[in-house]
Amino acid sequence: MTTDAEEPTLTIDELAARAGVTVRTVRFYGSRGLLPPPVIGPRRVGHYGPGHEARLALIEELQQQGMTLAAIERYLRQLPPDLSPHDLAIHRAVIASWAPDAAETVSRRDLERRAGRPLSEQDVERLTAMNAVAPGDGDTFRVDAGLLRLGVRLLDVPLSQEAILAARKVLVEHSRAAAHELSRLFRGEVAERDARDVKSLSAHMHPLVVQALLTTFQRSLREELSEWLDGSGPD
């Protein structure tokens, strides 16, 4: 397992398994310049790190949204070259927000292959609490690939399952409250307008509101964490 600060330690097989793609796909993306080359270690074995994993997840998300390889290449060229895995994950999250809900049914073995690590029963319970995994029929699981990547990284964060459930409840309640208030505000603005104006406003406001909410939340969370770590926040 790696963290953002660690040296790349994933083999190409491990990277492909975590992303849910084939080794051939990883090599193809590398040949097109979509993925940076691996770090060559002892015995000329290539190693991949969090940056490769986050970039691969972003490429896969763009493909799922229907973008051609040429369009993906243009998109990636526009990104700053020094984006961290965290920043790449945020890009992917914004793109994924437009996708319909999608989940796959996998076996326990495939679940662990996707996670890139063995999973204890407690790990599965924590992933279920995060809504990344749902028990299926028999020894199968319904998996949200995007949430699984995030959930696996959170497994090693020292948070109890109760804290994870409480955090999920806070996010759901506050996001629904914000959506309700914004919807009420916009309905008031278009109440006297015709249907075309309503559709036009909806089409323009949806991406703007998502971007505004994400930006505002990021800034607020950064400020809260900074105050907490500096010891200047509330007890």
Side-chain angles (χ1 to χ4, degrees):
M1 184 177 173
T2 65
T3 65
D4 292 357
E6 291 177 342
E7 292 295 321
T9 59
L10 297 174
T11 65
I12 190 170
D13 297 271
E14 291 169 335
L15 175 66
R18 287 197 181 191
V21 301
T22 64
V23 169
R24 183 179 179 182
T25 297
V26 175
R27 289 186 172 134
F28 175 70
Y29 289 156
S31 69
R32 293 292 294 260
L34 299 178
L35 278 177
V39 175
I40 304 300
R43 297 190 296 276
R44 303 294 299 170
V45 175
H47 294 285
Y48 299 81
H52 294 94
E53 188 177 354
R55 194 174 179 90
L56 181 55
L58 175 59
I59 294 168
E60 284 295 295
E61 191 63 54
L62 292 169
Q63 275 215 315
Q64 289 177 20
Q65 295 297 319
M67 290 182 67
T68 64
L69 282 174
I72 292 173
E73 288 173 351
R74 289 194 297 271
Y75 181 92
L76 294 177
R77 280 199 301 267
Q78 294 173 359
L79 298 178
D82 58 346
L83 280 183
S84 69
H86 172 77
D87 294 328
L88 289 169
I90 289 176
H91 273 274
R92 182 194 171 277
V94 172
I95 294 165
S97 68
W98 307 111
D101 293 336
E104 299 177 69
T105 300
V106 301
S107 67
R108 176 62 174 264
R109 181 178 179 181
D110 283 337
L111 175 62
E112 293 188 338
R113 184 179 63 83
R114 291 288 186 88
R117 58 186 284 179
L119 298 172
S120 66
E121 291 304 318
Q122 183 180 18
D123 290 336
V124 174
E125 289 178 3
R126 286 167 66 86
L127 290 172
T128 301
M130 289 182 268
N131 210 32
V133 169
D137 296 329
D139 194 31
T140 64
F141 299 87
R142 294 284 289 169
V143 176
D144 183 309
L147 285 178
L148 179 63
R149 294 188 188 99
L150 173 62
V152 169
R153 296 185 67 181
L154 286 174
L155 287 177
D156 297 318
V157 176
L159 286 176
S160 66
Q161 185 167 330
E162 290 74 18
I164 291 173
L165 289 170
R168 179 183 170 193
K169 181 179 179 182
V170 168
L171 289 171
V172 169
E173 288 181 351
H174 285 275
S175 60
R176 283 179 177 169
H180 176 74
E181 290 301 315
L182 289 170
S183 177
R184 184 176 61 82
L185 174 63
F186 296 149
R187 281 200 301 268
E189 286 292 308
V190 301
E192 304 300 324
R193 304 186 185 187
D194 61 34
R196 284 186 304 176
D197 288 336
V198 174
K199 290 181 179 179
S200 177
L201 179 64
S202 175
H204 284 85
M205 290 308 297
H206 190 180
L208 292 175
V209 168
V210 170
Q211 185 175 355
L213 286 172
L214 181 61
T215 301
T216 302
F217 180 75
Q218 274 189 280
R219 186 172 296 127
S220 299
L221 184 59
R222 190 181 301 116
E223 290 172 354
E224 286 288 330
L225 290 176
S226 178
E227 291 179 359
W228 172 47
L229 293 174
D230 291 341
S232 58
D235 294 334

